[in-house]
Amino acid sequence: METIRVKILLVHNAYAKFSGEEAVVESTSRMLVEQGHEVLQFTRNSAEIPNMPFGKLRAFYSGIYSLSSKKAMRGLLAEHKPDIVHVHNVFPLISPAILPECNKAGVPVVMTVHNYRLVCPNGLHMTNGKVCEKCCGGKEYQCLLNNCEGSLFKSLGYFLRNYVARKLKLFKNNVMRYACLTKFQKQRLIDAGFAAERLAVIPNMSDMQERKNEDSIGDYIGFIGRISPEKDVATLIKAAKVNSDILFKAAGDYNRMPNLPKEASKNFEFCGHLSGNELRSFYLHSRMFVLPSIWYEGFPNTLLEAMALAKPVVCSRIGGLPEIVDDGVTGLLFEPGNADDLTEKIRYLWDRPQLCRQMGQAGKEKALQEYSPQKYYKRLMAVYEKAIVCGPECPDNDF
């Protein structure tokens, strides 16, 4: 399949702020073009919503079923005749209404499952700061009853778009292959009734692997990512208060939790959003990387970047994270939300710089072997091949 050149239509509704998902879409598109494939794009951006007349109301309805997106997809398929459609995200401006058009045109659809939105309306399996699975089994109305989004209007929209998509079988009848990020995520979909033969595991790739590392062991504990409740930076702050002789730094936008810096001790520094060389320097000058998430996570790019730059990782034992971080080999796992356990694991590694180097090197080797762009490409093309060979018709499984 690697020698065959295909025409791919990438579909993605970008979030209002750049995220790891956008980074994956960009790197995937770039990689496919470099390999000689033709890549077309059908994209929208949620940043458009505030500037649209009645933007929130239009996003509410388009997330459920967008006739304009359906028409636009029909035109793209007729004009460009792609070999395959690769969907990343369709909410809220594109909607799953585009998927039957692909089926009608005889074009197979592959979907990368970046989160848990296929079975959980908010995509996090989390509400009120805790893991939640109430919506599983066709109970999307729980999103509204629990007001998972903190806004009845928004929670209603999330409930309706999942309910309509399930009832009309928009994903079920029109997506040929799903690319899950972890085995854990794959099993979640199987448990929800998705056909196992239509599910593959394609971890994200790291594109920082070929760069030379510096020799510095690092002089602080680093966190990178959106600073929001599910990332549980609050627990990291508690660990910092106990380890008062260690400097902690968090890079990321904290607009969702503007009062969090007030809770931090003097040895905890909020650095704001970083990118490019500043971001790389942040990784390189940290002694270890910490991810204290209390949700299932997808496949955090920050973990790959830290590992690729030979940094040991301390992260929560939750969801698919133990598949990425090998406990005692490439880093240490701790119980999610347990500040005492996190404090202990950080202190243990901090006091053993040689072990940090050893685990960091093991992580780099794993990144090179398992998460290289070459391996990602091989896995992706295998999924494309199966979808193209089998065609757009999908087995009629209930979920």
Side-chain angles (χ1 to χ4, degrees), residues 196-209:
E197 63 269 19
R198 290 162 59 193
L199 304 172
V201 176
I202 305 181
N204 287 343
M205 62 178 164
S206 169
D207 60 358
M208 300 179 76
Q209 298 166 2

Side-chain angles (χ1 to χ4, degrees), residues 14 147 191 235 278 294 340 391:
N147 192 16
D191 292 344
T235 292
E278 284 185 328
I294 53 175
D340 292 337

Side-chain angles (χ1 to χ4, degrees), residues 64-67 69-70 73 90 94-101 170:
I64 299 168
Y65 199 91
S66 173
L67 292 173
S69 292
K70 182 176 182 177
M73 174 58 83
V90 295
I94 297 177
S95 94
I98 66 167
L99 300 176
E101 293 301 316
L170 296 178

Side-chain angles (χ1 to χ4, degrees), residues 45-344:
N45 194 314
S46 293
E48 302 170 29
I49 296 173
N51 300 318
M52 296 164 53
F54 307 104
K56 290 184 178 180
L57 186 61
R58 290 170 65 181
F60 177 95
Y61 286 110
S62 66
I64 299 168
Y65 199 91
S66 173
L67 292 173
S68 61
S69 292
K70 182 176 182 177
K71 181 179 178 181
M73 174 58 83
R74 186 185 308 140
L76 285 170
L77 294 172
E79 179 181 358
H80 297 287
K81 296 179 172 56
D83 298 301
I84 197 161
V85 171
H86 185 165
V87 173
H88 288 273
N89 177 41
V90 295
F91 296 115
L93 298 177
I94 297 177
S95 94
I98 66 167
L99 300 176
E101 293 301 316
C102 301
N103 204 331
K104 290 176 185 176
V107 182
V109 176
V110 166
M111 180 178 180
T112 295
V113 186
H114 289 281
N115 47 50
Y116 299 92
R117 192 164 281 127
L118 289 173
V119 292
C120 168
N122 73 8
L124 299 176
H125 266 316
M126 184 179 181
T127 187
N128 298 321
K130 297 180 180 179
V131 169
C132 173
E133 300 180 353
K134 293 179 180 179
C135 286
C136 295
K139 299 177 181 178
E140 303 92 348
Y141 58 84
Q142 290 289 344
C143 180
L144 178 60
L145 293 181
N146 290 279
N147 192 16
C148 292
E149 291 303 299
S151 160
L152 288 176
F153 177 77
K154 195 172 181 180
S155 295
L156 174 63
Y158 278 36
F159 149 58
L160 287 174
R161 66 192 195 187
N162 267 49
Y163 175 78
V164 170
R166 181 174 60 83
K167 281 296 185 180
L168 297 182
K169 302 180 180 180
L170 296 178
F171 291 106
K172 173 187 180 241
N173 286 348
N174 301 293
V175 177
M176 188 65 208
R177 289 288 186 274
Y178 298 88
C180 303
L181 303 183
T182 63
K183 294 177 182 177
F184 174 85
Q185 189 183 59
K186 176 182 177 180
Q187 189 59 52
R188 297 297 302 167
L189 293 185
I190 291 174
D191 292 344
F194 285 71
E197 63 269 19
R198 290 162 59 193
L199 304 172
V201 176
I202 305 181
N204 287 343
M205 62 178 164
S206 169
D207 60 358
M208 300 179 76
Q209 298 166 2
E210 299 303 322
R211 302 178 184 180
K212 185 178 179 180
N213 294 333
E214 295 180 357
D215 293 329
S216 171
I217 186 59
D219 52 11
Y220 55 83
I221 308 295
F223 166 88
I224 298 173
R226 67 178 182 272
I227 298 174
S228 51
E230 69 274 10
K231 294 293 185 179
D232 199 24
V233 177
T235 292
L236 186 59
I237 287 176
K238 292 178 183 177
K241 289 179 179 178
V242 177
N243 291 303
S244 58
D245 59 318
I246 302 175
L247 178 62
F248 288 69
K249 291 187 178 185
D253 190 338
Y254 54 87
N255 287 341
R256 297 186 189 182
M257 304 184 74
N259 294 321
L260 194 61
K262 298 177 184 177
E263 300 177 14
S265 51
K266 293 181 179 179
N267 62 318
F268 199 107
E269 179 181 338
F270 286 82
C271 303
H273 177 74
L274 300 178
S275 60
N277 290 332
E278 284 185 328
L279 182 62
R280 176 178 168 80
S281 178
F282 185 95
Y283 279 116
L284 289 173
H285 291 93
S286 64
R287 184 170 299 190
M288 70 190 76
F289 178 79
V290 179
L291 182 64
S293 291
I294 53 175
W295 75 292
Y296 287 150
E297 285 282 0
F299 201 102
N301 290 335
T302 51
L303 285 188
L304 295 187
E305 291 165 355
M307 290 167 63
L309 293 173
K311 296 299 174 180
V313 175
V314 177
C315 78
S316 308
R317 185 184 286 105
I318 191 170
L321 296 182
E323 297 175 40
I324 309 169
V325 179
D326 300 314
D327 193 24
V329 179
T330 65
L332 297 175
L333 301 177
F334 74 98
E335 292 305 311
N338 189 328
D340 292 337
D341 194 16
L342 175 58
T343 298
E344 179 183 336

